[in-house]
Amino acid sequence: MRYEDDGFDPTPYDRILSGIHTSKNSATANAEDINAYKTARQNGEMRQDSLSQIDDINGEAVVPSEENITEAFSVAEEINASDETEMLENMEEEAYAADADAESGYVEMNDNSLSQIDDEKHETVEEADVMLNENPDIADEQPENTELEAGNVSAPVSAPAAAPEFAPQNEEKEVAAKISLENLLIANELNFTEIRDGESTRVYIEEDILVPDIKPDMAKILSMDGSVKCADKEIKSGQKGEDRIKVTGDITLETIYIPEKPAAEPIVTIQSRIPFRTDWGINTAPFSSAVIKPVIESVDYMVINERKFRAKLTVVLTMREYAGKYIELFEGIRGEDIEVLKEKVSVTDILAKKKDVLDVEENLLLKENSPMPGRILKYGINVVENHKQISPEKAVINGTVYCNILYLAESQEDDIIETSMEAEDFMDETSETGSIASVSAAIPEPAFYQGKIEFTQFIPLDIDDTHSGSRITFDGSDLSVRIKNFSEDDEEAGGIGFAVEGSINTNIEIYKNVEAEIVTDVYHNERELEYDSEPFTAKAIAGSGVTELSAREILNIPPQYSDIEQVIYISGKVQNVECTAENGKETVSGTIDAELLAIAADEDKTPFKMQHSLPFRGSMDIAGSKAGMIAESDIYVKELWFDKINNKQIEVNAGILALGTVSGHETCSLIKNPVFIQNEDEGKRKASMIIYISRPQDDLWKIAKKFRTTRERISRINGLDPDKAISEGTKLLIIK
C-alpha cells in the first residue's frame, strides 16, 4: 500500500517511513485477539522478552540501520538541502534490507502517544488504547512482533502461538549497581553573603505606672508614645547556627496627660522606662550575624485612678541576617564524554559593610514672634537621607535632622529655666530649693517649634569601581534636645533657643552583583547517569531609585470642641507600605498615621487630640524593573506640617522620601552526588536512526537527552536554528 492512499503528505521523512507503513485495516485488533492475549497473560504463558516495545518514548519511529549508519547520516544532511527523493528511497530500501534479520529492530511508542496519532484517519489507535486501559500490565508486557509507526497506525495485536515460561512476578528485581564519581568530579565555587529579611516576632508588654509624687493628679491621658532600644542590636551565630535567642531592651514611654486642676499647668508629661525580655525562636545559619530592629507597633492605655494608669504596648522585632554562603557548583566528570545544560544567574553580594558615628552639636534659633521656651515637654527627632555619592575611596552622605518640639512658654519677666526632656529632674531641683513658687505666677502656655539641621558625612571606603546598589540607615536615638541660652557661648549672639546634641550612627551597605554559570542538567552519551537535585534561588539587584511623595488631608474639628485655637504638636508614623515592580518603575503606597495635639478655643482652653491617616502613592523610575520582581522600599517622613484653614478645619501635609530597590530572583537546580548506573541492558545494540515527532514543551535539550545525542547534531541534520523554539508536530531525523 502506498502512503498516498490514506491521506499522508509525502515528505522526505514519510518516504523513509514508507517501508514499514501499513494500512489502518491491517492494524485492527479484533475481540478474539484481545481475549487470546488476556488468556495467555493470565495463565502465565508469556515470556518477558516476548513483550511488545511500547514504552515512554513519545511519538517516535525507530529505524534500525546500524550497518548503514554512515550512509544514512550523509543522506540525512541532504534532506533540507536538495529534493533528491530517489536517493532517499534507495537509502531506505538498503537500510531495511540490511536490517531485515536484525533482532534489535523495533518501533517505539507509548499508549499516550497512540491516542494522539491522527484520530480522524486511524480509528484502530483508539481501540488499541482501550485495550491498554483495560489491561494496564500490557504496557509492560507486549508481543515481540508488534510494530508501530510514528504518526500513523499500529500493526495488529495478536496473542503468541506458544506461551514460553517466564519468571514469577513476585521475584525481586535485581537492583542496578551505582558507581561513585566522587574522585572524578570537576567543581567550581561560588561564595557570597546572603541577606535574608522577613523573620519577625511580637512582644506584648503590659505595665502599671504610678504618677510621680511631684506631679499633679491625673484626670485624662492626652497622648502616649515612646521609643524602644535593644541591649544587643547584633547577634552572632555559632557553628551550628541559633534556634533561640534572648532579646532584652527597654522602652522609653512618654505620657502626656491633663491634670485634675489645670490651673497651674494645662498639660503634664511623664517619662517612664519599661524593660522587656523575650525568648525568640529563630533559625539562623552557622557563623551568621543578624541585626535586630525593634519598632513599637501599637500603644494602648487606660486610667486606673488619679495616681495610676496602665500601658499596653506591642513591640515588633524584625531580623536582617547576613550569612556567608558557600556553594560547590558541578562542572563535569574527568575523562567522561558528557553533555551539560548551563544557566547564567546573578546573585547579589555585599561589597562593603561599614559603620560610622557622626557627632552633632547644633543650635536651633527661635523663629520671630515665637514664645520663649521655659520647659520641654516632648520632642521627636527624625534623620533622613537627602542624597549620596559613592566612589572607590569614600562615601559622601548628605542628610537632614528634623525636630518637632513641644514646650511650655514663659513670660519675659520670669526666670528662664534650662532643662532637658527629663521633666522630673526639673521638678526635683525646684522642690529641693523651694523656688517652684517663684517661677511664675502666670499659667504657662504650650507652644510648638519645628526646625531642621543639615549635615554631610564622609565614610572612607576601599572598594572596586563598580557597584550595583547601596543602602544607608541612620540611628538617631542618641540625639537629644535642650533649651540653650546662646549668650553663654557668644555674648553678641544673645537670646534663647534649642540645642541638638548627641551622635548619629550610620550604617552603609554597598552591593555588587556576581554572575555565575550553573550546570542544571547533565547526561552521558553512552552510560546511565543519575544525580540529586538541590534547589537554589539567586537574588540580584536589578536597579534602585528615589522619589519624593506628598500627602495632604483636611481634618475637621471634633464636634465636642467648638473651635480650635492652635495646634501644639504633630507627629506621624509610616504604616501599611506596599511595593510593586512594574516595567521600568516601582510603585509604592501606604499611609501616614498623623496625630495632632490642639487647644480648643473655649474658656478653659481644653487640650484635645486628633488622629487621621494620610494615604500616599507614587512611583519611581528604575530601568531594570520588570513585573514579578521583588520590590522593597525604605519610607521616611521628611516633614509634617499643618495650616489652619478656619476654626473648624486643619490642613495636614506630609513630605515623604521613598528609596526603592527592585531585585530579580531565579530558581534553578544544582547537580549533587552524580553516579553511574550499571544496568544489564548496558552494551546492547540500540537503534541508530529515529524519526521523532515533537510534542508540546519539547526543546532541543530534552530531545537530545532522550536519545543521548547533541543539540548541535540535531540542529545540523534537520536544518534548525538552535536559538528558535521547536513547534509541536515537527518531524525530526535523529541519527546516533
Side-chain angles (χ1 to χ4, degrees), residues 651-681:
E651 179 183 282
V652 180
N653 294 271
I656 304 163
L657 178 69
L659 304 172
T661 302
V662 174
S663 301
H665 57 98
E666 300 176 70
T667 301
C668 57
S669 298
L670 302 179
I671 304 297
K672 296 292 182 181
N673 309 318
V675 294
F676 280 139
I677 304 298
Q678 189 172 4
N679 293 319
E680 293 183 355
D681 298 344

mmCIF file of all heavy atoms in Angstrom, residues 651-681:
data_model
loop_
_atom_site.group_PDB
_atom_site.id
_atom_site.type_symbol
_atom_site.label_atom_id
_atom_site.label_comp_id
_atom_site.label_asym_id
_atom_site.label_seq_id
_atom_site.Cartn_x
_atom_site.Cartn_y
_atom_site.Cartn_z
ATOM 1 N N GLU A 651 -5.568 71.765 57.754
ATOM 2 C CA GLU A 651 -4.963 71.052 56.629
ATOM 3 C C GLU A 651 -3.625 70.464 57.073
ATOM 4 O O GLU A 651 -2.764 71.182 57.590
ATOM 5 C CB GLU A 651 -4.751 71.999 55.455
ATOM 6 C CG GLU A 651 -4.106 71.319 54.246
ATOM 7 C CD GLU A 651 -3.830 72.291 53.114
ATOM 8 O OE1 GLU A 651 -4.791 72.640 52.404
ATOM 9 O OE2 GLU A 651 -2.665 72.703 52.966
ATOM 10 N N VAL A 652 -3.462 69.166 56.852
ATOM 11 C CA VAL A 652 -2.239 68.462 57.240
ATOM 12 C C VAL A 652 -1.494 68.041 55.986
ATOM 13 O O VAL A 652 -2.096 67.482 55.054
ATOM 14 C CB VAL A 652 -2.552 67.222 58.110
ATOM 15 C CG1 VAL A 652 -1.269 66.512 58.509
ATOM 16 C CG2 VAL A 652 -3.330 67.632 59.349
ATOM 17 N N ASN A 653 -0.190 68.315 55.940
ATOM 18 C CA ASN A 653 0.654 67.972 54.794
ATOM 19 C C ASN A 653 1.841 67.148 55.262
ATOM 20 O O ASN A 653 2.369 67.360 56.366
ATOM 21 C CB ASN A 653 1.158 69.234 54.098
ATOM 22 C CG ASN A 653 0.030 70.025 53.461
ATOM 23 O OD1 ASN A 653 -0.326 69.798 52.319
ATOM 24 N ND2 ASN A 653 -0.545 70.957 54.221
ATOM 25 N N ALA A 654 2.275 66.224 54.396
ATOM 26 C CA ALA A 654 3.430 65.378 54.698
ATOM 27 C C ALA A 654 4.344 65.325 53.491
ATOM 28 O O ALA A 654 3.880 65.150 52.355
ATOM 29 C CB ALA A 654 2.995 63.967 55.086
ATOM 30 N N GLY A 655 5.640 65.509 53.722
ATOM 31 C CA GLY A 655 6.654 65.292 52.697
ATOM 32 C C GLY A 655 7.338 63.962 52.955
ATOM 33 O O GLY A 655 7.855 63.716 54.050
ATOM 34 N N ILE A 656 7.334 63.085 51.968
ATOM 35 C CA ILE A 656 7.766 61.697 52.153
ATOM 36 C C ILE A 656 8.907 61.390 51.201
ATOM 37 O O ILE A 656 8.877 61.790 50.026
ATOM 38 C CB ILE A 656 6.588 60.725 51.908
ATOM 39 C CG1 ILE A 656 5.407 61.084 52.822
ATOM 40 C CG2 ILE A 656 7.019 59.280 52.119
ATOM 41 C CD1 ILE A 656 4.100 60.470 52.379
ATOM 42 N N LEU A 657 9.911 60.687 51.697
ATOM 43 C CA LEU A 657 11.022 60.225 50.869
ATOM 44 C C LEU A 657 10.932 58.712 50.730
ATOM 45 O O LEU A 657 10.828 57.995 51.740
ATOM 46 C CB LEU A 657 12.360 60.611 51.496
ATOM 47 C CG LEU A 657 13.609 60.146 50.750
ATOM 48 C CD1 LEU A 657 13.759 60.904 49.433
ATOM 49 C CD2 LEU A 657 14.857 60.320 51.609
ATOM 50 N N ALA A 658 10.964 58.224 49.490
ATOM 51 C CA ALA A 658 10.916 56.780 49.221
ATOM 52 C C ALA A 658 12.189 56.367 48.500
ATOM 53 O O ALA A 658 12.509 56.905 47.441
ATOM 54 C CB ALA A 658 9.691 56.429 48.383
ATOM 55 N N LEU A 659 12.911 55.411 49.087
ATOM 56 C CA LEU A 659 14.117 54.842 48.490
ATOM 57 C C LEU A 659 13.803 53.403 48.111
ATOM 58 O O LEU A 659 13.635 52.544 48.985
ATOM 59 C CB LEU A 659 15.289 54.895 49.478
ATOM 60 C CG LEU A 659 15.629 56.286 50.045
ATOM 61 C CD1 LEU A 659 16.668 56.167 51.154
ATOM 62 C CD2 LEU A 659 16.135 57.196 48.954
ATOM 63 N N GLY A 660 13.703 53.139 46.811
ATOM 64 C CA GLY A 660 13.251 51.826 46.346
ATOM 65 C C GLY A 660 14.353 50.997 45.729
ATOM 66 O O GLY A 660 15.308 51.516 45.152
ATOM 67 N N THR A 661 14.199 49.685 45.857
ATOM 68 C CA THR A 661 15.117 48.714 45.258
ATOM 69 C C THR A 661 14.301 47.586 44.657
ATOM 70 O O THR A 661 13.370 47.077 45.287
ATOM 71 C CB THR A 661 16.091 48.146 46.298
ATOM 72 O OG1 THR A 661 16.823 49.210 46.897
ATOM 73 C CG2 THR A 661 17.071 47.180 45.643
ATOM 74 N N VAL A 662 14.654 47.194 43.436
ATOM 75 C CA VAL A 662 13.981 46.086 42.756
ATOM 76 C C VAL A 662 14.996 44.977 42.523
ATOM 77 O O VAL A 662 16.099 45.230 42.047
ATOM 78 C CB VAL A 662 13.374 46.542 41.418
ATOM 79 C CG1 VAL A 662 12.810 45.363 40.652
ATOM 80 C CG2 VAL A 662 12.282 47.581 41.655
ATOM 81 N N SER A 663 14.620 43.763 42.874
ATOM 82 C CA SER A 663 15.526 42.618 42.748
ATOM 83 C C SER A 663 14.860 41.514 41.943
ATOM 84 O O SER A 663 13.671 41.228 42.122
ATOM 85 C CB SER A 663 15.914 42.073 44.134
ATOM 86 O OG SER A 663 16.548 43.068 44.908
ATOM 87 N N GLY A 664 15.640 40.918 41.066
ATOM 88 C CA GLY A 664 15.172 39.741 40.344
ATOM 89 C C GLY A 664 15.541 38.483 41.101
ATOM 90 O O GLY A 664 16.495 38.462 41.880
ATOM 91 N N HIS A 665 14.796 37.441 40.900
ATOM 92 C CA HIS A 665 15.085 36.175 41.572
ATOM 93 C C HIS A 665 14.899 35.030 40.588
ATOM 94 O O HIS A 665 13.916 34.979 39.857
ATOM 95 C CB HIS A 665 14.201 35.985 42.806
ATOM 96 C CG HIS A 665 12.723 36.031 42.516
ATOM 97 N ND1 HIS A 665 11.960 34.901 42.346
ATOM 98 C CD2 HIS A 665 11.889 37.076 42.348
ATOM 99 C CE1 HIS A 665 10.724 35.243 42.085
ATOM 100 N NE2 HIS A 665 10.638 36.561 42.082
ATOM 101 N N GLU A 666 15.866 34.130 40.562
ATOM 102 C CA GLU A 666 15.828 32.962 39.689
ATOM 103 C C GLU A 666 16.025 31.716 40.538
ATOM 104 O O GLU A 666 16.867 31.700 41.444
ATOM 105 C CB GLU A 666 16.936 33.037 38.642
ATOM 106 C CG GLU A 666 16.883 34.246 37.727
ATOM 107 C CD GLU A 666 18.065 34.287 36.779
ATOM 108 O OE1 GLU A 666 18.122 33.440 35.869
ATOM 109 O OE2 GLU A 666 18.946 35.145 36.965
ATOM 110 N N THR A 667 15.260 30.689 40.238
ATOM 111 C CA THR A 667 15.393 29.414 40.930
ATOM 112 C C THR A 667 15.859 28.355 39.942
ATOM 113 O O THR A 667 15.248 28.180 38.882
ATOM 114 C CB THR A 667 14.063 28.982 41.569
ATOM 115 O OG1 THR A 667 13.645 29.987 42.494
ATOM 116 C CG2 THR A 667 14.223 27.667 42.308
ATOM 117 N N CYS A 668 16.932 27.685 40.268
ATOM 118 C CA CYS A 668 17.455 26.627 39.404
ATOM 119 C C CYS A 668 17.839 25.435 40.274
ATOM 120 O O CYS A 668 17.779 25.494 41.502
ATOM 121 C CB CYS A 668 18.660 27.126 38.597
ATOM 122 S SG CYS A 668 20.020 27.762 39.591
ATOM 123 N N SER A 669 18.227 24.340 39.623
ATOM 124 C CA SER A 669 18.583 23.109 40.326
ATOM 125 C C SER A 669 20.086 22.878 40.218
ATOM 126 O O SER A 669 20.658 22.956 39.127
ATOM 127 C CB SER A 669 17.833 21.908 39.739
ATOM 128 O OG SER A 669 16.439 22.062 39.898
ATOM 129 N N LEU A 670 20.689 22.600 41.356
ATOM 130 C CA LEU A 670 22.111 22.280 41.394
ATOM 131 C C LEU A 670 22.310 20.775 41.290
ATOM 132 O O LEU A 670 21.516 19.993 41.840
ATOM 133 C CB LEU A 670 22.744 22.791 42.692
ATOM 134 C CG LEU A 670 22.631 24.293 42.967
ATOM 135 C CD1 LEU A 670 23.283 24.629 44.311
ATOM 136 C CD2 LEU A 670 23.275 25.104 41.855
ATOM 137 N N ILE A 671 23.354 20.363 40.576
ATOM 138 C CA ILE A 671 23.675 18.938 40.433
ATOM 139 C C ILE A 671 24.447 18.487 41.668
ATOM 140 O O ILE A 671 25.476 19.062 42.019
ATOM 141 C CB ILE A 671 24.520 18.688 39.169
ATOM 142 C CG1 ILE A 671 23.791 19.241 37.932
ATOM 143 C CG2 ILE A 671 24.828 17.207 39.007
ATOM 144 C CD1 ILE A 671 22.487 18.586 37.640
ATOM 145 N N LYS A 672 23.936 17.442 42.329
ATOM 146 C CA LYS A 672 24.586 16.912 43.523
ATOM 147 C C LYS A 672 24.692 15.388 43.420
ATOM 148 O O LYS A 672 23.782 14.725 42.928
ATOM 149 C CB LYS A 672 23.788 17.282 44.788
ATOM 150 C CG LYS A 672 23.706 18.782 45.064
ATOM 151 C CD LYS A 672 25.049 19.353 45.449
ATOM 152 C CE LYS A 672 24.962 20.819 45.767
ATOM 153 N NZ LYS A 672 26.259 21.400 46.119
ATOM 154 N N ASN A 673 25.815 14.854 43.884
ATOM 155 C CA ASN A 673 26.039 13.405 44.011
ATOM 156 C C ASN A 673 25.770 12.622 42.722
ATOM 157 O O ASN A 673 24.973 11.668 42.710
ATOM 158 C CB ASN A 673 25.161 12.826 45.133
ATOM 159 C CG ASN A 673 25.299 13.582 46.436
ATOM 160 O OD1 ASN A 673 26.410 13.952 46.826
ATOM 161 N ND2 ASN A 673 24.194 13.817 47.102
ATOM 162 N N PRO A 674 26.401 12.959 41.607
ATOM 163 C CA PRO A 674 26.194 12.168 40.383
ATOM 164 C C PRO A 674 26.839 10.789 40.497
ATOM 165 O O PRO A 674 27.921 10.642 41.062
ATOM 166 C CB PRO A 674 26.870 13.023 39.300
ATOM 167 C CG PRO A 674 27.901 13.810 40.030
ATOM 168 C CD PRO A 674 27.349 14.075 41.397
ATOM 169 N N VAL A 675 26.168 9.777 39.952
ATOM 170 C CA VAL A 675 26.682 8.403 39.943
ATOM 171 C C VAL A 675 26.317 7.750 38.613
ATOM 172 O O VAL A 675 25.311 8.097 37.986
ATOM 173 C CB VAL A 675 26.114 7.558 41.111
ATOM 174 C CG1 VAL A 675 26.592 8.077 42.446
ATOM 175 C CG2 VAL A 675 24.585 7.525 41.065
ATOM 176 N N PHE A 676 27.152 6.798 38.191
ATOM 177 C CA PHE A 676 26.827 5.973 37.038
ATOM 178 C C PHE A 676 25.983 4.793 37.502
ATOM 179 O O PHE A 676 26.214 4.225 38.576
ATOM 180 C CB PHE A 676 28.091 5.462 36.353
ATOM 181 C CG PHE A 676 28.746 6.478 35.456
ATOM 182 C CD1 PHE A 676 30.124 6.610 35.424
ATOM 183 C CD2 PHE A 676 27.986 7.292 34.633
ATOM 184 C CE1 PHE A 676 30.731 7.542 34.609
ATOM 185 C CE2 PHE A 676 28.577 8.231 33.805
ATOM 186 C CZ PHE A 676 29.954 8.361 33.800
ATOM 187 N N ILE A 677 25.013 4.399 36.670
ATOM 188 C CA ILE A 677 24.162 3.249 36.952
ATOM 189 C C ILE A 677 24.541 2.141 35.983
ATOM 190 O O ILE A 677 24.508 2.332 34.760
ATOM 191 C CB ILE A 677 22.670 3.600 36.813
ATOM 192 C CG1 ILE A 677 22.314 4.784 37.714
ATOM 193 C CG2 ILE A 677 21.809 2.392 37.121
ATOM 194 C CD1 ILE A 677 22.524 4.516 39.184
ATOM 195 N N GLN A 678 24.913 0.992 36.539
ATOM 196 C CA GLN A 678 25.307 -0.143 35.710
ATOM 197 C C GLN A 678 24.123 -1.087 35.573
ATOM 198 O O GLN A 678 23.753 -1.788 36.511
ATOM 199 C CB GLN A 678 26.512 -0.869 36.333
ATOM 200 C CG GLN A 678 27.115 -1.934 35.433
ATOM 201 C CD GLN A 678 28.400 -2.497 35.995
ATOM 202 O OE1 GLN A 678 28.796 -2.138 37.094
ATOM 203 N NE2 GLN A 678 29.043 -3.381 35.242
ATOM 204 N N ASN A 679 23.503 -1.105 34.386
ATOM 205 C CA ASN A 679 22.332 -1.936 34.116
ATOM 206 C C ASN A 679 22.720 -3.148 33.277
ATOM 207 O O ASN A 679 23.777 -3.184 32.640
ATOM 208 C CB ASN A 679 21.262 -1.130 33.366
ATOM 209 C CG ASN A 679 20.687 -0.025 34.230
ATOM 210 O OD1 ASN A 679 20.438 -0.244 35.409
ATOM 211 N ND2 ASN A 679 20.486 1.146 33.641
ATOM 212 N N GLU A 680 21.816 -4.145 33.253
ATOM 213 C CA GLU A 680 22.044 -5.323 32.427
ATOM 214 C C GLU A 680 21.946 -4.978 30.943
ATOM 215 O O GLU A 680 22.555 -5.619 30.102
ATOM 216 C CB GLU A 680 21.009 -6.400 32.771
ATOM 217 C CG GLU A 680 21.179 -6.968 34.171
ATOM 218 C CD GLU A 680 20.176 -8.070 34.438
ATOM 219 O OE1 GLU A 680 19.319 -8.299 33.557
ATOM 220 O OE2 GLU A 680 20.263 -8.699 35.494
ATOM 221 N N ASP A 681 21.160 -3.915 30.614
ATOM 222 C CA ASP A 681 20.984 -3.538 29.213
ATOM 223 C C ASP A 681 22.203 -2.833 28.637
ATOM 224 O O ASP A 681 22.281 -2.612 27.432
ATOM 225 C CB ASP A 681 19.780 -2.599 29.068
ATOM 226 C CG ASP A 681 18.494 -3.273 29.501
ATOM 227 O OD1 ASP A 681 18.503 -4.514 29.606
ATOM 228 O OD2 ASP A 681 17.512 -2.554 29.736
#
